[in-house]
Amino acid sequence: MRQIILSLLFVCCFFSCNYTLFSQSSFGLQVGLATPSEKLNQIYNEDLLKVQNALGVLLREGPNTGYIVNAKLRFELDEKVWFNGGAGIARFPQSVIPIVNQIDNKDTLAIMTSIQNIIPLSAGLHYQFNRGLVSLYFMGDMTYNYMMNSVDVKYNKQTFPLPPKNETISRIGIGFGAGLDFHIPIFTGNLEAKYNIVNFIGRDPIEAEKSYFTLTLGIYFGETQSAIRPKASPSTEQ
């Protein structure tokens, strides 16, 4: 938690100190659905566990759809290229995972429940195709992800104690997607679809790729498209 707070403070200080550089900038909030991959709740990186003299199989299914909330900042780098950064939280609902004896799958050794939370800190670019009431953009970013696993286990047999997995790990990820901005006086509405790979860099050798897809609605205040800069005529340049 201390790492998360320090990272957020660094991001806030960076943007506050450089605010004068971001004359074409905006701040926004996004809220939406997060659909996880089947491997996102694979806590132990495998579904066959050996504890003492017993082998247990995790009858695991992928987690259900969760939600995501993002705080975003944009500022213009070029007429069509914008920086896009921010922080958020993706939360996925509780998964119930029976652990059965490998020899006899009717022998339930334990019931594990897990909840996954991901806090992504992102920085990237998006390319805006057009100006107007509705504008289309493609985007890509890199993320520093804090992956928090909360695990609770109810044992049917004390001979099968699971190793603890209430922990926070960090991974570097990537994301790419597309969106539409709806430019309305006072604010800009936003619809964005994005695919996020959470552990693209830094995962363990046996760790599966973990990802989720987001579909969000947002609202931005400030400048969200390049100001129209009419080309100067030859007579004006003289």
Side-chain angles (χ1 to χ4, degrees):
M1 182 59 70
R2 183 180 178 184
Q3 287 182 319
I4 297 173
I5 294 173
L6 289 175
S7 299
L8 291 174
L9 286 174
F10 173 79
V11 172
C12 292
C13 290
F14 173 80
F15 288 129
S16 298
C17 294
N18 291 277
Y19 182 77
T20 55
L21 300 177
F22 310 150
S23 57
Q24 287 288 109
S25 63
S26 62
F27 174 79
L29 293 173
Q30 295 176 318
V31 179
L33 299 177
T35 303
S37 67
E38 191 268 338
K39 297 292 187 180
L40 192 69
N41 64 350
Q42 193 177 48
I43 304 297
Y44 296 98
N45 295 326
E46 55 186 346
D47 292 332
L48 177 63
L49 299 179
K50 182 177 182 180
V51 179
Q52 296 180 358
N53 295 322
L55 285 173
V57 179
L58 278 68
L59 301 182
R60 187 183 53 80
E61 296 180 354
N64 295 322
T65 298
Y67 65 86
I68 187 167
V69 179
N70 288 320
K72 291 285 190 175
L73 179 69
R74 296 180 183 179
F75 63 87
E76 183 183 12
L77 299 176
D78 189 62
E79 185 176 356
K80 290 189 175 183
V81 179
W82 291 67
F83 171 87
N84 193 337
I89 181 169
R91 183 175 176 84
F92 300 94
Q94 177 176 279
S95 301
V96 179
I97 305 171
I99 304 172
V100 301
N101 193 316
Q102 186 189 31
I103 300 173
D104 180 7
N105 59 14
K106 293 182 180 180
D107 180 16
T108 301
L109 303 174
I111 302 291
M112 183 174 72
T113 57
S114 69
I115 296 174
Q116 282 71 48
N117 296 315
I118 299 173
I119 296 180
L121 306 177
S122 64
L125 301 173
H126 84 245
Y127 181 87
Q128 193 173 59
F129 279 88
N130 62 291
R131 302 189 191 97
L133 180 61
V134 179
S135 60
L136 169 69
Y137 65 86
F138 286 164
M139 59 88 64
D141 62 20
M142 295 197 71
T143 55
Y144 191 82
N145 299 289
Y146 293 97
M147 303 167 62
M148 295 174 286
N149 297 311
S150 176
V151 178
D152 185 40
V153 182
K154 180 180 178 181
Y155 295 101
N156 292 333
K157 295 189 176 181
Q158 295 299 325
T159 57
F160 194 80
L162 288 174
K165 271 293 179 179
N166 290 325
E167 64 175 8
T168 299
I169 60 175
S170 57
R171 297 286 187 268
I172 296 174
I174 59 172
F176 48 89
L180 293 171
D181 285 334
F182 303 89
H183 303 282
I184 304 168
I186 303 177
F187 68 89
T188 296
N190 174 254
L191 173 66
E192 184 178 279
K194 185 167 176 265
Y195 181 69
N196 308 272
I197 301 175
V198 180
N199 57 345
F200 187 72
I201 298 174
R203 63 174 178 256
D204 295 333
I206 62 171
E207 183 179 341
E209 181 180 283
K210 298 177 181 180
S211 61
Y212 61 98
F213 173 81
T214 57
L215 183 63
T216 58
L217 293 174
I219 182 171
Y220 282 83
F221 296 94
E223 297 295 335
T224 52
Q225 63 179 334
S226 297
I228 298 176
R229 303 182 181 91
K231 293 183 179 180
S233 62
S235 59
T236 306
E237 293 177 348
Q238 293 177 355

